[in-house]
Amino acid sequence: MCGRYNLYSSIEILLERFELTNIDWIELSPRYNLAPSQAVLAVVQGEHGNKGGFLKWGLVPSWANDPKMGYKMINARAETLAEKPSFKKLLSRRRCIIPADGFYEWKKDGNTKQPYHIRLKSGEPFAFAGLWDRWERNGEKLQTCTIITTEANPLMEKIHDRMPVILTKETEKMWLDRNVGEEAKKVLIPYDHHEMEAYPISSLVNSPKNDGKELINSL
């Protein structure tokens, strides 16, 4: 699964990396411990290029009766997207990418869990594959998202049996392309482990209240 991540690259780097066209109004501060229910930066394909904006992390389907449903839908399994009513329609028409610099996962060791920070060896920001939806009831409006997960690659399987889908620069374009339908799911595969690294970090990351740069320091 993916339940915590970070995004601390400057807005200028993100502008170039994700080819954003509406950067003028986006205000972004470095975040080292993004957690479910928080507003996160997401990118969709607009009429004139990629658009960045903020979505609440935890998908609330448009048909949901209770927005609290989002707390249970921070992730979506790539293998069953086309089967689940919450995701099937979104797979064809409401795909997004979620920029990140790294993410966290916890490795079970007996009765304890050791947190790890995982990132690209290059240090570049990357994109998770995501889905988004719009919900409205009685004047209340929400725009929310979920991060798609897949089976672990050889690096991640030493820590956890699942990992977020990380897209390459090429597969990002296909995932965002609104002219591509359900077949876009073919890009939802484990990322090349040779391009990733993981290292143990402090348990400070366990609390979302902690959100400083020290969280990504290696033990």
PDB file of all heavy atoms in Angstrom, residues 5 19 25 33-35 45 55-56 66 70 75 77 83 85 93 99 102 105 131 140 143 157 180 182 192 194 219:
ATOM      1  N   TYR A   5       3.752   9.870   2.009  1.00  0.00           N
ATOM      2  CA  TYR A   5       4.798  10.205   1.047  1.00  0.00           C
ATOM      3  C   TYR A   5       5.239  11.644   1.229  1.00  0.00           C
ATOM      4  O   TYR A   5       4.752  12.356   2.118  1.00  0.00           O
ATOM      5  CB  TYR A   5       4.325   9.935  -0.387  1.00  0.00           C
ATOM      6  CG  TYR A   5       3.317  10.909  -0.958  1.00  0.00           C
ATOM      7  CD1 TYR A   5       3.724  11.966  -1.769  1.00  0.00           C
ATOM      8  CD2 TYR A   5       1.951  10.765  -0.714  1.00  0.00           C
ATOM      9  CE1 TYR A   5       2.808  12.851  -2.323  1.00  0.00           C
ATOM     10  CE2 TYR A   5       1.027  11.635  -1.266  1.00  0.00           C
ATOM     11  CZ  TYR A   5       1.454  12.677  -2.067  1.00  0.00           C
ATOM     12  OH  TYR A   5       0.549  13.559  -2.602  1.00  0.00           O
ATOM     13  N   GLU A  19       5.361  19.597 -16.885  1.00  0.00           N
ATOM     14  CA  GLU A  19       4.863  20.439 -17.981  1.00  0.00           C
ATOM     15  C   GLU A  19       3.531  21.107 -17.610  1.00  0.00           C
ATOM     16  O   GLU A  19       2.564  21.095 -18.376  1.00  0.00           O
ATOM     17  CB  GLU A  19       4.716  19.600 -19.256  1.00  0.00           C
ATOM     18  CG  GLU A  19       6.034  18.975 -19.698  1.00  0.00           C
ATOM     19  CD  GLU A  19       5.879  18.084 -20.921  1.00  0.00           C
ATOM     20  OE1 GLU A  19       4.735  17.892 -21.380  1.00  0.00           O
ATOM     21  OE2 GLU A  19       6.898  17.570 -21.416  1.00  0.00           O
ATOM     22  N   TRP A  25      -0.949  30.152 -10.221  1.00  0.00           N
ATOM     23  CA  TRP A  25      -1.773  30.257  -9.021  1.00  0.00           C
ATOM     24  C   TRP A  25      -1.538  29.132  -8.016  1.00  0.00           C
ATOM     25  O   TRP A  25      -2.184  29.076  -6.976  1.00  0.00           O
ATOM     26  CB  TRP A  25      -3.257  30.281  -9.404  1.00  0.00           C
ATOM     27  CG  TRP A  25      -3.739  29.023 -10.061  1.00  0.00           C
ATOM     28  CD1 TRP A  25      -3.768  28.761 -11.393  1.00  0.00           C
ATOM     29  CD2 TRP A  25      -4.258  27.863  -9.418  1.00  0.00           C
ATOM     30  NE1 TRP A  25      -4.271  27.497 -11.620  1.00  0.00           N
ATOM     31  CE2 TRP A  25      -4.581  26.929 -10.425  1.00  0.00           C
ATOM     32  CE3 TRP A  25      -4.482  27.519  -8.091  1.00  0.00           C
ATOM     33  CZ2 TRP A  25      -5.111  25.666 -10.140  1.00  0.00           C
ATOM     34  CZ3 TRP A  25      -5.011  26.257  -7.810  1.00  0.00           C
ATOM     35  CH2 TRP A  25      -5.325  25.357  -8.827  1.00  0.00           C
ATOM     36  N   ASN A  33       5.688  14.696   4.986  1.00  0.00           N
ATOM     37  CA  ASN A  33       4.891  13.635   5.589  1.00  0.00           C
ATOM     38  C   ASN A  33       3.424  13.781   5.201  1.00  0.00           C
ATOM     39  O   ASN A  33       2.547  13.905   6.054  1.00  0.00           O
ATOM     40  CB  ASN A  33       5.053  13.656   7.108  1.00  0.00           C
ATOM     41  CG  ASN A  33       4.766  12.317   7.748  1.00  0.00           C
ATOM     42  OD1 ASN A  33       4.420  11.346   7.071  1.00  0.00           O
ATOM     43  ND2 ASN A  33       4.899  12.245   9.064  1.00  0.00           N
ATOM     44  N   LEU A  34       3.163  13.753   3.919  1.00  0.00           N
ATOM     45  CA  LEU A  34       1.787  13.859   3.427  1.00  0.00           C
ATOM     46  C   LEU A  34       1.009  12.608   3.816  1.00  0.00           C
ATOM     47  O   LEU A  34       1.497  11.484   3.670  1.00  0.00           O
ATOM     48  CB  LEU A  34       1.781  14.031   1.916  1.00  0.00           C
ATOM     49  CG  LEU A  34       2.207  15.424   1.430  1.00  0.00           C
ATOM     50  CD1 LEU A  34       2.673  15.383  -0.013  1.00  0.00           C
ATOM     51  CD2 LEU A  34       1.056  16.407   1.593  1.00  0.00           C
ATOM     52  N   ALA A  35      -0.213  12.813   4.305  1.00  0.00           N
ATOM     53  CA  ALA A  35      -1.004  11.717   4.853  1.00  0.00           C
ATOM     54  C   ALA A  35      -2.424  11.741   4.301  1.00  0.00           C
ATOM     55  O   ALA A  35      -2.893  12.772   3.802  1.00  0.00           O
ATOM     56  CB  ALA A  35      -1.035  11.821   6.391  1.00  0.00           C
ATOM     57  N   GLN A  45      -4.852  16.107 -17.426  1.00  0.00           N
ATOM     58  CA  GLN A  45      -4.696  16.701 -18.754  1.00  0.00           C
ATOM     59  C   GLN A  45      -5.834  17.678 -19.013  1.00  0.00           C
ATOM     60  O   GLN A  45      -7.006  17.317 -18.931  1.00  0.00           O
ATOM     61  CB  GLN A  45      -4.700  15.620 -19.832  1.00  0.00           C
ATOM     62  CG  GLN A  45      -4.414  16.148 -21.227  1.00  0.00           C
ATOM     63  CD  GLN A  45      -4.545  15.066 -22.279  1.00  0.00           C
ATOM     64  OE1 GLN A  45      -5.614  14.533 -22.512  1.00  0.00           O
ATOM     65  NE2 GLN A  45      -3.423  14.739 -22.917  1.00  0.00           N
ATOM     66  N   LEU A  55      -6.241  17.912  -4.597  1.00  0.00           N
ATOM     67  CA  LEU A  55      -7.307  16.965  -4.338  1.00  0.00           C
ATOM     68  C   LEU A  55      -7.139  16.410  -2.928  1.00  0.00           C
ATOM     69  O   LEU A  55      -6.013  16.307  -2.428  1.00  0.00           O
ATOM     70  CB  LEU A  55      -7.256  15.801  -5.337  1.00  0.00           C
ATOM     71  CG  LEU A  55      -7.385  16.145  -6.821  1.00  0.00           C
ATOM     72  CD1 LEU A  55      -7.130  14.900  -7.665  1.00  0.00           C
ATOM     73  CD2 LEU A  55      -8.761  16.718  -7.121  1.00  0.00           C
ATOM     74  N   LYS A  56      -8.238  16.060  -2.307  1.00  0.00           N
ATOM     75  CA  LYS A  56      -8.168  15.439  -0.991  1.00  0.00           C
ATOM     76  C   LYS A  56      -7.823  13.970  -1.174  1.00  0.00           C
ATOM     77  O   LYS A  56      -8.441  13.259  -1.957  1.00  0.00           O
ATOM     78  CB  LYS A  56      -9.503  15.586  -0.263  1.00  0.00           C
ATOM     79  CG  LYS A  56      -9.486  15.054   1.168  1.00  0.00           C
ATOM     80  CD  LYS A  56     -10.818  15.298   1.861  1.00  0.00           C
ATOM     81  CE  LYS A  56     -10.778  14.789   3.291  1.00  0.00           C
ATOM     82  NZ  LYS A  56     -12.072  15.023   4.001  1.00  0.00           N
ATOM     83  N   ASP A  66     -21.915   8.647   1.966  1.00  0.00           N
ATOM     84  CA  ASP A  66     -21.172   9.196   3.096  1.00  0.00           C
ATOM     85  C   ASP A  66     -19.741   9.511   2.665  1.00  0.00           C
ATOM     86  O   ASP A  66     -19.005   8.615   2.243  1.00  0.00           O
ATOM     87  CB  ASP A  66     -21.162   8.182   4.244  1.00  0.00           C
ATOM     88  CG  ASP A  66     -20.580   8.755   5.532  1.00  0.00           C
ATOM     89  OD1 ASP A  66     -19.958   9.840   5.484  1.00  0.00           O
ATOM     90  OD2 ASP A  66     -20.748   8.117   6.586  1.00  0.00           O
ATOM     91  N   GLY A  70     -14.086   7.903   2.043  1.00  0.00           N
ATOM     92  CA  GLY A  70     -12.753   8.215   1.552  1.00  0.00           C
ATOM     93  C   GLY A  70     -11.630   7.727   2.433  1.00  0.00           C
ATOM     94  O   GLY A  70     -10.523   7.446   1.951  1.00  0.00           O
ATOM     95  N   ASN A  75      -5.999   3.930  -1.355  1.00  0.00           N
ATOM     96  CA  ASN A  75      -5.320   3.160  -2.394  1.00  0.00           C
ATOM     97  C   ASN A  75      -6.329   2.343  -3.194  1.00  0.00           C
ATOM     98  O   ASN A  75      -7.416   2.024  -2.715  1.00  0.00           O
ATOM     99  CB  ASN A  75      -4.302   2.186  -1.783  1.00  0.00           C
ATOM    100  CG  ASN A  75      -3.105   2.871  -1.150  1.00  0.00           C
ATOM    101  OD1 ASN A  75      -2.518   2.355  -0.224  1.00  0.00           O
ATOM    102  ND2 ASN A  75      -2.739   4.049  -1.639  1.00  0.00           N
ATOM    103  N   ARG A  77      -6.188  -1.142  -5.891  1.00  0.00           N
ATOM    104  CA  ARG A  77      -5.350  -2.207  -6.446  1.00  0.00           C
ATOM    105  C   ARG A  77      -5.430  -2.217  -7.971  1.00  0.00           C
ATOM    106  O   ARG A  77      -6.521  -2.273  -8.544  1.00  0.00           O
ATOM    107  CB  ARG A  77      -5.773  -3.561  -5.887  1.00  0.00           C
ATOM    108  CG  ARG A  77      -5.535  -3.715  -4.397  1.00  0.00           C
ATOM    109  CD  ARG A  77      -6.094  -5.037  -3.895  1.00  0.00           C
ATOM    110  NE  ARG A  77      -5.338  -6.168  -4.417  1.00  0.00           N
ATOM    111  CZ  ARG A  77      -4.310  -6.740  -3.798  1.00  0.00           C
ATOM    112  NH1 ARG A  77      -3.904  -6.287  -2.618  1.00  0.00           N
ATOM    113  NH2 ARG A  77      -3.682  -7.772  -4.331  1.00  0.00           N
ATOM    114  N   GLU A  83     -12.820  -4.033 -12.286  1.00  0.00           N
ATOM    115  CA  GLU A  83     -13.907  -4.834 -11.723  1.00  0.00           C
ATOM    116  C   GLU A  83     -14.684  -4.092 -10.636  1.00  0.00           C
ATOM    117  O   GLU A  83     -15.858  -4.379 -10.408  1.00  0.00           O
ATOM    118  CB  GLU A  83     -13.344  -6.129 -11.130  1.00  0.00           C
ATOM    119  CG  GLU A  83     -12.540  -6.963 -12.120  1.00  0.00           C
ATOM    120  CD  GLU A  83     -11.749  -8.051 -11.428  1.00  0.00           C
ATOM    121  OE1 GLU A  83     -12.023  -8.326 -10.239  1.00  0.00           O
ATOM    122  OE2 GLU A  83     -10.851  -8.628 -12.075  1.00  0.00           O
ATOM    123  N   PRO A  85     -16.779  -1.231  -8.811  1.00  0.00           N
ATOM    124  CA  PRO A  85     -17.654  -0.122  -9.226  1.00  0.00           C
ATOM    125  C   PRO A  85     -17.102   1.249  -8.851  1.00  0.00           C
ATOM    126  O   PRO A  85     -17.391   2.239  -9.524  1.00  0.00           O
ATOM    127  CB  PRO A  85     -18.965  -0.421  -8.498  1.00  0.00           C
ATOM    128  CG  PRO A  85     -18.604  -1.352  -7.383  1.00  0.00           C
ATOM    129  CD  PRO A  85     -17.459  -2.162  -7.889  1.00  0.00           C
ATOM    130  N   ARG A  93     -12.067   7.673 -17.563  1.00  0.00           N
ATOM    131  CA  ARG A  93     -12.276   9.109 -17.766  1.00  0.00           C
ATOM    132  C   ARG A  93     -11.713  10.035 -16.692  1.00  0.00           C
ATOM    133  O   ARG A  93     -11.681  11.246 -16.883  1.00  0.00           O
ATOM    134  CB  ARG A  93     -13.770   9.388 -17.909  1.00  0.00           C
ATOM    135  CG  ARG A  93     -14.608   8.977 -16.724  1.00  0.00           C
ATOM    136  CD  ARG A  93     -16.098   9.100 -17.007  1.00  0.00           C
ATOM    137  NE  ARG A  93     -16.935   8.651 -15.902  1.00  0.00           N
ATOM    138  CZ  ARG A  93     -17.321   9.401 -14.900  1.00  0.00           C
ATOM    139  NH1 ARG A  93     -16.949  10.669 -14.854  1.00  0.00           N
ATOM    140  NH2 ARG A  93     -18.094   8.912 -13.943  1.00  0.00           N
ATOM    141  N   PRO A  99       2.401  13.858  -8.116  1.00  0.00           N
ATOM    142  CA  PRO A  99       3.850  14.037  -7.991  1.00  0.00           C
ATOM    143  C   PRO A  99       4.352  13.745  -6.583  1.00  0.00           C
ATOM    144  O   PRO A  99       3.682  14.031  -5.589  1.00  0.00           O
ATOM    145  CB  PRO A  99       4.050  15.515  -8.345  1.00  0.00           C
ATOM    146  CG  PRO A  99       2.853  15.875  -9.177  1.00  0.00           C
ATOM    147  CD  PRO A  99       1.729  15.090  -8.565  1.00  0.00           C
ATOM    148  N   GLY A 102       9.383  11.038  -2.814  1.00  0.00           N
ATOM    149  CA  GLY A 102       9.664   9.769  -2.158  1.00  0.00           C
ATOM    150  C   GLY A 102       8.429   9.316  -1.405  1.00  0.00           C
ATOM    151  O   GLY A 102       7.448  10.062  -1.275  1.00  0.00           O
ATOM    152  N   GLU A 105       7.395   3.297   3.691  1.00  0.00           N
ATOM    153  CA  GLU A 105       6.761   2.006   3.950  1.00  0.00           C
ATOM    154  C   GLU A 105       7.386   1.415   5.204  1.00  0.00           C
ATOM    155  O   GLU A 105       8.525   1.743   5.545  1.00  0.00           O
ATOM    156  CB  GLU A 105       6.939   1.064   2.748  1.00  0.00           C
ATOM    157  CG  GLU A 105       6.081  -0.177   2.797  1.00  0.00           C
ATOM    158  CD  GLU A 105       4.610   0.120   3.004  1.00  0.00           C
ATOM    159  OE1 GLU A 105       3.923   0.448   2.035  1.00  0.00           O
ATOM    160  OE2 GLU A 105       4.171   0.047   4.176  1.00  0.00           O
ATOM    161  N   LEU A 131      -6.376   7.983  -9.514  1.00  0.00           N
ATOM    162  CA  LEU A 131      -7.717   8.232 -10.030  1.00  0.00           C
ATOM    163  C   LEU A 131      -8.349   9.313  -9.173  1.00  0.00           C
ATOM    164  O   LEU A 131      -8.010   9.468  -7.995  1.00  0.00           O
ATOM    165  CB  LEU A 131      -8.582   6.964  -9.945  1.00  0.00           C
ATOM    166  CG  LEU A 131      -8.117   5.733 -10.722  1.00  0.00           C
ATOM    167  CD1 LEU A 131      -8.990   4.538 -10.367  1.00  0.00           C
ATOM    168  CD2 LEU A 131      -8.133   5.986 -12.218  1.00  0.00           C
ATOM    169  N   GLU A 140     -22.367  20.513  -0.288  1.00  0.00           N
ATOM    170  CA  GLU A 140     -20.984  20.162   0.046  1.00  0.00           C
ATOM    171  C   GLU A 140     -20.322  19.536  -1.177  1.00  0.00           C
ATOM    172  O   GLU A 140     -20.888  18.663  -1.828  1.00  0.00           O
ATOM    173  CB  GLU A 140     -20.933  19.170   1.208  1.00  0.00           C
ATOM    174  CG  GLU A 140     -19.521  18.807   1.638  1.00  0.00           C
ATOM    175  CD  GLU A 140     -19.484  17.806   2.793  1.00  0.00           C
ATOM    176  OE1 GLU A 140     -20.563  17.368   3.239  1.00  0.00           O
ATOM    177  OE2 GLU A 140     -18.373  17.464   3.233  1.00  0.00           O
ATOM    178  N   GLN A 143     -13.434  17.075  -4.114  1.00  0.00           N
ATOM    179  CA  GLN A 143     -12.683  16.482  -5.213  1.00  0.00           C
ATOM    180  C   GLN A 143     -11.558  15.669  -4.579  1.00  0.00           C
ATOM    181  O   GLN A 143     -10.717  16.231  -3.867  1.00  0.00           O
ATOM    182  CB  GLN A 143     -12.150  17.548  -6.162  1.00  0.00           C
ATOM    183  CG  GLN A 143     -13.256  18.281  -6.911  1.00  0.00           C
ATOM    184  CD  GLN A 143     -12.726  19.106  -8.065  1.00  0.00           C
ATOM    185  OE1 GLN A 143     -12.900  18.792  -9.229  1.00  0.00           O
ATOM    186  NE2 GLN A 143     -12.076  20.203  -7.725  1.00  0.00           N
ATOM    187  N   GLU A 157       9.836  -5.815  -2.232  1.00  0.00           N
ATOM    188  CA  GLU A 157       9.323  -7.025  -1.601  1.00  0.00           C
ATOM    189  C   GLU A 157      10.097  -7.399  -0.343  1.00  0.00           C
ATOM    190  O   GLU A 157       9.621  -8.201   0.462  1.00  0.00           O
ATOM    191  CB  GLU A 157       9.323  -8.186  -2.599  1.00  0.00           C
ATOM    192  CG  GLU A 157      10.671  -8.633  -3.067  1.00  0.00           C
ATOM    193  CD  GLU A 157      10.583  -9.696  -4.153  1.00  0.00           C
ATOM    194  OE1 GLU A 157       9.462  -9.953  -4.653  1.00  0.00           O
ATOM    195  OE2 GLU A 157      11.633 -10.269  -4.504  1.00  0.00           O
ATOM    196  N   VAL A 180      -7.131   7.980 -24.584  1.00  0.00           N
ATOM    197  CA  VAL A 180      -6.871   6.576 -24.279  1.00  0.00           C
ATOM    198  C   VAL A 180      -7.902   6.114 -23.257  1.00  0.00           C
ATOM    199  O   VAL A 180      -8.151   6.804 -22.260  1.00  0.00           O
ATOM    200  CB  VAL A 180      -5.441   6.386 -23.719  1.00  0.00           C
ATOM    201  CG1 VAL A 180      -5.208   4.926 -23.343  1.00  0.00           C
ATOM    202  CG2 VAL A 180      -4.405   6.865 -24.732  1.00  0.00           C
ATOM    203  N   GLU A 182      -9.761   2.459 -21.289  1.00  0.00           N
ATOM    204  CA  GLU A 182      -9.437   1.507 -20.232  1.00  0.00           C
ATOM    205  C   GLU A 182      -8.104   0.792 -20.465  1.00  0.00           C
ATOM    206  O   GLU A 182      -7.486   0.283 -19.524  1.00  0.00           O
ATOM    207  CB  GLU A 182     -10.569   0.475 -20.128  1.00  0.00           C
ATOM    208  CG  GLU A 182     -10.505  -0.404 -18.903  1.00  0.00           C
ATOM    209  CD  GLU A 182     -11.698  -1.324 -18.794  1.00  0.00           C
ATOM    210  OE1 GLU A 182     -12.843  -0.825 -18.774  1.00  0.00           O
ATOM    211  OE2 GLU A 182     -11.493  -2.548 -18.724  1.00  0.00           O
ATOM    212  N   ASP A 192      10.921  -0.197 -12.265  1.00  0.00           N
ATOM    213  CA  ASP A 192      12.240  -0.831 -12.341  1.00  0.00           C
ATOM    214  C   ASP A 192      12.999  -0.626 -11.025  1.00  0.00           C
ATOM    215  O   ASP A 192      13.366   0.496 -10.678  1.00  0.00           O
ATOM    216  CB  ASP A 192      13.028  -0.233 -13.509  1.00  0.00           C
ATOM    217  CG  ASP A 192      14.378  -0.899 -13.721  1.00  0.00           C
ATOM    218  OD1 ASP A 192      14.762  -1.763 -12.906  1.00  0.00           O
ATOM    219  OD2 ASP A 192      15.065  -0.544 -14.703  1.00  0.00           O
ATOM    220  N   HIS A 194      15.960  -1.285 -10.272  1.00  0.00           N
ATOM    221  CA  HIS A 194      17.340  -0.829 -10.420  1.00  0.00           C
ATOM    222  C   HIS A 194      17.452   0.696 -10.307  1.00  0.00           C
ATOM    223  O   HIS A 194      18.538   1.216 -10.036  1.00  0.00           O
ATOM    224  CB  HIS A 194      17.901  -1.274 -11.779  1.00  0.00           C
ATOM    225  CG  HIS A 194      18.045  -2.751 -11.915  1.00  0.00           C
ATOM    226  ND1 HIS A 194      17.139  -3.528 -12.628  1.00  0.00           N
ATOM    227  CD2 HIS A 194      18.961  -3.611 -11.413  1.00  0.00           C
ATOM    228  CE1 HIS A 194      17.510  -4.781 -12.582  1.00  0.00           C
ATOM    229  NE2 HIS A 194      18.605  -4.877 -11.849  1.00  0.00           N
ATOM    230  N   LEU A 219      19.179   6.390   8.975  1.00  0.00           N
ATOM    231  CA  LEU A 219      19.665   6.029  10.317  1.00  0.00           C
ATOM    232  C   LEU A 219      21.149   5.724  10.269  1.00  0.00           C
ATOM    233  O   LEU A 219      21.657   5.212   9.263  1.00  0.00           O
ATOM    234  CB  LEU A 219      18.902   4.789  10.814  1.00  0.00           C
ATOM    235  CG  LEU A 219      17.431   5.012  11.200  1.00  0.00           C
ATOM    236  CD1 LEU A 219      16.834   3.698  11.682  1.00  0.00           C
ATOM    237  CD2 LEU A 219      17.302   6.073  12.278  1.00  0.00           C
TER     238      LEU A 219
END
